[in-house]
Structure formats: structure tokens, C-alpha cells
Amino acid sequence: MTAYSPLAQLASNSFTATPTSRQRSWMLAALRDRALILPETVNSRSLVLMRSREWIEPVPAEQGPHKFRLTFLGRFALLSVPKAHALLSAQSPADRHPGRLTFNASAMTLKPLISERLVVMLDRHGEQRAGREEHPYITNLGRRIVELPEADETEAGQYLTDAFAEAQIPVSVERDNDGNTRVVYRRDGVVAQFYREVWNPDGYTHSVRHPAWMHTKPWTALVTYGTDGAVEKNLLNHLGLPTESAQMATSFAAWLRDRDDDAFEA
């Protein structure tokens, strides 16, 4: 395939045709498939037409007979210039979190991107809740359509609650009056709160709801016990959330057993 700028091609109207609504649904289904394989229900006439426009191509025979996958041209045929600009703005180096759309897209542009799950709207606490200011972030489906690296969309707190479950330590996710979320342990006079600071356009919040890819700060453990006992510790960062969460669960289990603050020293 010739190397060229997809935005330049869109802007020059090189896509002389756009997919019909039915073709679009098939192509979006292919986009959701890790191998970009079209559904087998596509009729032969549509296959011929989409092949002639280079939106799809046959896969190697060893991957299965009569199968087709979405091409580079096919992915960008699903976009308009404003939509492509919006999605590609997620890689802006000027933003503290590459992944947030910095292109000032109109509602007309954003609405279909959201409905097709190429973009998700999240508030400053990493959630979708009515009545709160939200910001647009590219999803992995959106990343895939413009060939940006995919990211871990798992909620940060899921890794930690799973790690605590593995260690048989009962915890729950709690929200304070400001909307900050934490993984919390409450038992036998011990209250332990676990959270990560995460940057939003409105500043830092304490959160376990944001997707993993948005987290650049380490886990913090704030443990209170007895009448005035307290310990606040951070563990190592940049090891990946699954590893960092497993380490936090192991450290807290050791602290519960020995009441030794050095348990949190990685």
C-alpha cells in the first residue's frame, strides 16, 4: 500500500465514495475484530464493491478461506476530515494525557464518534455521569481506526480489587463527597484507603475509576488504626498496574500480619 497522509487524502477528496449504512456496519464490525476480519454475512455483491474501492482485502488462505479484512483505506473511509482530525488530536504532545481529544470538534462531529464508540466522554472522576462536565477521550476502537497504539482501558481499581481478592482481603470501592474514589478496607479498627492521583483538565483527583492508561502516579496507601496510628506510603511506579496492584496487596497483607510500616517498602 502506498504511504501517504490519511488526512491529506481525506482533504483532497480522494475517497470519492463513502460506505452505505449497511457497509459501514460491516466495516465497524471488522474494526471491532482484533484481526479486522469482516463478518461472514456480507453478501458477495458488497464484497466485490468494497474490494474494488480497496476498503477490504482477502486474508491469506491459511487464516481461512473466503475471508476479508479491513484495509488502511477502509478504516479511513469511515471518517470525515473533522472526525479524523478529532481522533488524531488525541496524540497531541502538548496535552498531559495523550488520549484526550484536543481538537475543538463540533457536536455534529462528536456525536457519531461517541455513538460508534470511537470516543468516550468521561468526567474528572473517570466516569460517565449525567450533569457533570465531561471531556472526550479516544477509545481503543478509535485508536485502531487511525492506527494509534492501543492502551489499557481497564479501570485502575479493578486491578487492585482483584489483587486483594487473590489475597483474601475484603475491600470495596468508596466515593467521598467530592466524587473521589478509593479502594477501602474497613475491619478490626483498621481503615485503609488506596488510590492514585490522576490528572484531569480540571486538576488532580484521587481515583480508581479512570482507565489504567491515564494513570502516571503510584498507588498510595493511607492506613489509620487505633486512636492515633497512621501510615501513608507510596509504592514503586512505572511497573504496570497489574504488577503495582499485586505489590500493594502483598504489602498490605504483610502490614496486617506484622503491623510493620516497612512492609510498604518495595
Side-chain angles (χ1 to χ4, degrees):
M1 189 70 66
T2 305
Y4 36 60
S5 163
L7 280 177
Q9 188 174 10
L10 282 167
S12 65
N13 295 318
S14 294
F15 291 114
T16 56
T18 56
T20 65
S21 59
R22 193 173 187 188
Q23 290 166 351
R24 189 177 186 85
S25 67
W26 290 326
M27 293 164 75
L28 285 168
L31 190 67
R32 289 189 289 270
D33 182 77
R34 298 294 300 184
L36 302 176
I37 303 297
L38 253 67
E40 295 182 1
T41 53
V42 181
N43 60 62
S44 58
R45 181 180 176 183
S46 293
L47 287 174
V48 170
L49 181 61
M50 288 191 285
R51 285 192 69 182
S52 70
R53 292 173 177 168
E54 298 184 47
W55 294 344
I56 62 172
E57 63 186 6
V59 302
E62 59 268 20
Q63 295 183 27
H66 313 302
K67 289 188 176 182
F68 296 85
R69 64 186 171 202
L70 199 62
T71 65
F72 172 91
L73 289 178
R75 291 197 294 276
F76 275 88
L78 293 168
L79 299 175
S80 62
V81 172
K83 288 179 182 178
H85 268 301
L87 293 177
L88 288 169
S89 75
Q91 63 179 338
S92 169
D95 194 57
R96 298 185 71 161
H97 276 300
R100 185 174 71 93
L101 272 58
T102 56
F103 179 73
N104 190 21
S106 68
M108 185 178 297
T109 297
L110 273 179
K111 187 174 180 180
L113 290 175
I114 295 167
S115 66
E116 292 177 345
R117 300 185 181 180
L118 304 177
V119 169
V120 63
M121 301 296 290
L122 297 177
D123 68 12
R124 66 192 304 264
H125 300 293
E127 299 176 291
Q128 295 175 286
R129 289 195 289 162
R132 291 185 175 270
E133 181 180 2
E134 296 178 323
H135 299 275
Y137 295 91
I138 192 170
T139 65
N140 273 343
L141 202 61
R143 291 173 187 268
R144 198 175 299 166
I145 203 171
V146 291
E147 296 191 315
L148 293 179
E150 294 189 28
D152 187 352
E153 296 182 325
T154 307
E155 284 187 3
Q158 187 63 55
Y159 284 119
L160 190 58
T161 55
D162 287 350
F164 278 133
E166 182 71 20
Q168 298 184 338
I169 297 174
V171 294
S172 61
V173 174
E174 297 184 7
R175 185 196 315 277
D176 66 18
N177 292 334
D178 295 323
N180 295 303
T181 51
R182 301 172 179 88
V183 173
V184 181
Y185 169 93
R186 297 179 183 275
R187 180 168 288 192
D188 302 326
V190 175
V191 177
Q193 301 180 67
F194 306 90
Y195 61 89
R196 298 174 78 104
E197 286 188 322
V198 61
W199 172 258
N200 300 271
D202 304 316
Y204 279 104
T205 58
H206 293 175
S207 173
V208 298
R209 292 296 194 196
H210 282 81
W213 67 264
M214 290 184 67
H215 286 270
T216 59
K217 297 280 190 175
W219 279 117
T220 295
L222 177 59
V223 184
T224 57
Y225 55 96
T227 55
D228 57 1
V231 57
E232 184 173 6
K233 294 284 187 177
N234 294 324
L235 291 190
L236 291 176
N237 201 14
H238 307 303
L239 301 176
L241 260 165
T243 298
E244 295 164 17
S245 300
Q247 287 187 349
M248 179 58 83
T250 299
S251 296
F252 184 58
W255 185 90
L256 283 175
R257 184 183 64 246
D258 303 327
R259 292 296 197 272
D260 183 356
D261 294 353
D262 288 341
F264 291 101
E265 299 299 328

